[in-house]
Amino acid sequence: MISLFDIFKVGIGPSSSHTVGPMRAARRFIDGLDVELDVHHIKVTLYGSLAWTGLGHATDTAVVLGLAGEAPDTIDPDQAEGIVAAITTAGMINVRGRQVRFAPASDVLFDYETIPPVHPNTLQFRALDEHEAIVASARYCSVGGGFIVPENVAETTSYTLPDMPHDFADGAQLLARTAETGLSIARIVLANESALRPAHEVEAYLDLIIDTMMGCIERGLTQRGALPGKLKVRRRAAALHEKLQRNTLQNQRSPHEVMDWVSLFAIAVNEENAAGGRVVTAPTNGAAGVIPATLRYYRDFCPGASREGMRDFLLTAAAIGGLFKLNASISGAEVGCQGEVGVASSMAAAGLASVLGANPLQVENAAEIGMEHHLGMTCDPIGGLVQIPCIERNAFGAVKAINAASLAMHGDGEHHVSLDQVIRTMAETGRDMNHRYKETSLGGLAVNFPEC
């Protein structure tokens, strides 16, 4: 089982694999340095997708912040720019109380030629002495959703399942546990999480995730101006929000108004993500708007919605996200956007169905439908920025999630294609997908849109 504490992580934008993961890796490298080492200089090399889209995803900035001791879940996004500027100006960085030479412009290297042997998101750290000899080094793979793994173990990484009251490693086993116990998927996950830590900590973490998601939507609804980067994409959420409010006041509501609100919620989150704001990896930053938008839909538009229901939504979604992470991938650089927005839509569909009264078979069906209609989706961000088509893609992922939950609940749970089969298909499709369509900005919209 992969914990909901891993599936849902508080961080900053614009990317879980290209921002959150590299920041965590840099922090881990610094924290692991022996204090007795004679370190005078730090160098970092970005490979593969981290090199190709690193500038657009602020990977270099994330590395600088991590080396400075910052963490994605605690850093103040409004302070990040100042921290990086101070280090850039000084050409030095404080490493555990000692000033070490580090000039981001020359010491964060983008290697576009070397093909990383294990994972397309690979980065290397080197600590050098006064003679430029290496005294410590480490290589990490950022494998999606903010997860990082040392390269030397990434290829053979397996997840050891701790002793759980209701262990499961695939959808069939999850359904079997619900049948054996009579518990919902949410109660299964809660029991497992409570075996790892006190139940009140699990509840508090769920509330933190809910509040962060809702807070991100609220902030996104008020911000205006252009998003960072050369595309100069203008934020739309605030104006759309005002228009929907005005239509309500003037009784000019359209038949598809609810769909507009869902799209608005997703756009608000992903504009915040693109601007480097505080978001929740759900399960990634690139797909950070799907689950909050669907959760907000439940809260604002579904009769009987409650805080407890919102918690159950996330518990159920975490179970589905864990299955994709365990048996396939949630990395756009590994399997394309089907592993990001597709997985998020599947998670959201399951979560929504569960809190609307679906039985476990219907919940599993909703998750399957949510992914089935994202199979083959490429990751082709224009300019390497998590903006076009990523922001709107989250809106569509949320709408699809609601539709998937509805379709599943109109049935009895019986269906031909299982969630396990669609997860396996997604993994196989990702392996067969040309590398240009997996977060490199070397194919698709990224090369067919004239940037200037």
Side-chain angles (χ1 to χ4, degrees):
M1 190 192 80
I2 296 177
S3 172
L4 73 91
F5 284 70
D6 293 319
I7 290 295
F8 297 117
K9 293 187 287 290
V10 176
I12 61 171
S15 171
S16 51
S17 59
H18 287 59
T19 312
V20 175
M23 190 187 302
R24 295 180 68 204
R27 171 74 179 267
R28 183 179 295 184
F29 175 68
I30 290 300
D31 287 348
L33 281 179
D34 189 331
V35 294
E36 301 299 322
L37 287 176
D38 183 29
V39 179
H40 286 256
H41 192 185
I42 299 287
K43 281 185 173 289
V44 184
T45 305
L46 307 176
Y47 299 100
S49 178
L50 292 184
W52 283 108
T53 63
L55 289 175
H57 287 78
T59 306
D60 50 344
T61 297
V63 165
V64 175
L65 292 170
L67 293 176
E70 300 290 346
D73 58 333
T74 58
I75 186 174
D76 181 348
D78 293 331
Q79 301 297 318
E81 185 176 342
I83 294 171
V84 174
I87 293 170
T88 300
T89 299
M92 305 288 287
I93 192 167
N94 188 308
V95 176
R96 303 177 70 173
R98 179 177 179 178
Q99 291 296 311
V100 173
R101 186 155 57 91
F102 178 71
S106 57
D107 290 328
V108 179
L109 310 174
F110 293 76
D111 185 337
Y112 302 103
E113 303 298 329
T114 303
I115 299 175
V118 176
H119 193 279
N121 291 336
T122 300
L123 65 168
Q124 174 182 269
F125 299 90
R126 290 177 293 162
L128 312 172
D129 65 16
E130 59 182 323
H131 305 294
E132 293 294 290
I134 298 173
V135 295
S137 65
R139 289 168 66 99
Y140 296 95
C141 298
S142 181
V143 296
F147 289 83
I148 55 170
V149 185
E151 186 186 51
N152 61 344
V153 299
E155 191 168 25
T156 58
T157 294
S158 61
Y159 295 92
T160 301
L161 300 178
D163 291 332
M164 292 288 176
H166 314 293
D167 62 301
F168 60 91
D170 57 35
Q173 290 178 7
L174 176 57
L175 289 177
R177 300 296 174 265
T178 64
E180 293 164 3
T181 63
L183 296 173
S184 67
I185 292 174
R187 296 302 102 182
I188 291 283
V189 175
L190 181 60
N192 286 343
E193 293 290 345
S194 298
L196 297 175
R197 54 185 62 84
H200 69 86
E201 290 187 12
V202 179
E203 182 175 305
Y205 191 76
L206 287 167
D207 285 342
L208 170 66
I209 296 303
I210 291 169
D211 292 342
T212 304
M213 286 181 171
M214 297 304 105
C216 184
I217 290 175
E218 293 301 330
R219 179 173 171 81
L221 294 178
T222 65
Q223 302 303 299
R224 299 179 184 273
L227 294 171
K230 57 189 175 182
L231 296 180
K232 304 300 180 185
V233 172
R234 297 195 64 79
R235 287 178 179 255
R236 291 180 291 169
L240 178 56
H241 185 218
E242 290 180 353
K243 182 176 182 180
L244 289 175
Q245 288 180 314
R246 185 168 58 252
N247 288 348
T248 300
L249 290 173
Q250 296 175 354
N251 199 27
Q252 295 178 348
R253 306 170 79 167
S254 72
H256 52 266
E257 182 186 271
V258 171
M259 189 165 65
D260 289 337
W261 279 102
V262 173
S263 296
L264 169 63
F265 299 148
I267 289 170
V269 171
N270 284 87
E271 287 181 347
E272 277 297 286
N273 178 63
R278 174 76 66 213
V279 298
V280 175
T281 61
T284 69
N285 282 33
V290 176
I291 289 175
T294 312
L295 187 63
R296 182 66 169 254
Y297 164 79
Y298 164 71
R299 193 196 81 173
D300 291 0
F301 294 99
C302 296
S306 66
R307 188 72 170 195
E308 186 64 26
M310 296 177 80
R311 295 183 190 125
D312 284 351
F313 182 116
L314 293 181
L315 287 165
T316 306
I320 303 304
L323 294 180
F324 278 98
K325 173 65 179 170
L326 189 65
N327 298 302
S329 174
I330 58 172
S331 169
E334 198 169 17
V335 295
C337 197
Q338 57 173 356
E340 298 201 34
V341 169
V343 172
S345 187
S346 178
M347 293 168 65
L352 181 61
S354 71
V355 295
L356 294 182
N359 63 45
L361 288 173
Q362 291 171 314
V363 171
E364 185 261 1
N365 188 198
E368 180 273 323
I369 295 171
M371 170 51 73
E372 183 177 331
H373 303 291
H374 283 93
L375 287 173
M377 181 177 283
T378 60
C379 184
D380 51 354
I382 294 174
L385 298 165
V386 191
Q387 297 176 16
I388 304 173
C390 316
I391 294 172
E392 287 183 354
R393 190 168 281 177
N394 275 256
F396 277 83
V399 171
K400 281 186 179 181
I402 295 169
N403 195 27
S406 179
L407 285 172
M409 293 183 69
H410 280 300
D412 60 5
E414 295 295 327
H415 52 288
H416 291 286
V417 179
S418 71
L419 176 60
D420 290 332
Q421 289 171 325
V422 84
I423 290 174
R424 184 163 58 250
T425 301
M426 189 269 273
E428 292 171 351
T429 303
R431 284 195 295 270
D432 291 340
M433 191 181 293
N434 188 290
H435 78 281
R436 294 184 300 125
Y437 301 104
K438 294 190 282 189
E439 208 165 5
T440 62
S441 289
L442 297 176
L445 285 175
V447 298
N448 285 301
F449 174 85
E451 295 182 32
C452 56

